[in-house]
Amino acid sequence: LLLCLLPLFTLLKNLSRNDQKREFLYQGYGKGLLKSMEINALYFAESDFDYFSLLYLLEVEHKRDDVGLFLTPFFSKDYQYAILQQDRHSQPSIPRKALIDQSNFFQWLGSSSASPPLYCAFPNGPFVEMYLRHNSSITFKPEGMAIRIHPPQALPPAESSITLLDDFWERYLNP
């Protein structure tokens, strides 16, 4: 009887230990990302941490309905563009011709007049690599907790992003 109850006891003990309902770091990170972005921005998440932090805030709490959220690794898959063509209500600002394939999509993103404000998680991540495959150059600047991508012709603004990062550090990371 003891041997049969031991796995159940261990499972219950670990379930209570792994309870994340009081974990505010993910929500705080997501809110910081949303504060960092301009209106009608597109954010290209590169990991579960930033993707699910924003997905919860956008879909469950309905914060910033103007922000488009994409998971970057899927943009290397051909089927992603067919899915985006079918799901036009999520990002109506992206023209249909940009959703044909990876080349058209990233060329549209690189054109200064057409694309909305672009943000990604890392300046050396997969999004930047895909972007540079289809565009000659890229300019980026940290803005708050995100990296703002600027078309090659546009100059990044000169404002500072330190305040938001300091606030996040004090609120969530200091003991």
Side-chain angles (χ1 to χ4, degrees):
L1 184 63
L2 182 62
L3 286 175
C4 291
L5 291 177
L6 186 62
L8 182 61
F9 175 72
T10 305
L11 176 66
L12 292 175
K13 183 178 179 184
N14 286 331
L15 281 178
S16 63
R17 189 178 298 166
N18 290 328
D19 181 12
Q20 296 290 311
K21 68 183 175 189
R22 296 187 186 270
E23 180 59 62
F24 296 105
L25 179 61
Y26 300 113
Q27 191 174 27
Y29 179 71
K31 286 179 180 178
L33 283 173
L34 290 177
K35 286 180 186 177
S36 302
M37 292 185 244
E38 286 185 20
I39 295 173
N40 297 323
L42 300 181
Y43 183 78
F44 294 89
E46 299 188 25
S47 68
D48 291 349
F49 187 74
D50 56 335
Y51 182 74
F52 289 112
S53 296
L54 287 177
L55 185 63
Y56 175 79
L57 292 171
L58 296 174
E59 297 296 325
V60 176
E61 293 190 9
H62 302 290
K63 302 217 185 272
R64 295 287 310 267
D65 291 333
D66 63 304
V67 173
L69 175 62
F70 302 99
L71 191 56
T72 300
F74 288 118
F75 281 97
S76 63
K77 309 294 183 198
D78 294 334
Y79 60 78
Q80 178 65 25
Y81 303 96
I83 291 170
L84 287 173
Q85 286 175 3
Q86 294 172 357
D87 188 24
R88 295 292 297 151
H89 77 280
S90 66
Q91 269 311 314
S93 64
I94 301 175
R96 202 171 269 289
K97 67 180 182 176
L99 298 174
I100 295 171
D101 59 12
Q102 187 182 80
S103 177
N104 285 324
F105 184 74
F106 282 94
Q107 285 175 0
W108 173 74
L109 289 178
S111 65
S112 63
S113 62
S115 66
L118 305 177
Y119 294 87
C120 68
F122 308 107
N124 60 347
F127 174 78
V128 172
E129 290 175 13
M130 281 189 266
Y131 186 95
L132 287 173
R133 269 188 232 135
H134 304 286
N135 295 287
S136 59
S137 65
I138 190 169
T139 305
F140 54 86
K141 180 179 188 245
E143 287 188 9
M145 298 180 73
I147 302 297
R148 171 81 185 266
I149 304 297
H150 298 279
Q153 301 83 358
L155 294 174
E159 70 241 10
S160 172
S161 62
I162 301 300
T163 306
L164 186 59
L165 291 172
D166 284 344
D167 177 56
F168 181 77
W169 184 269
E170 292 292 326
R171 187 168 181 183
Y172 297 104
L173 300 177
N174 274 348

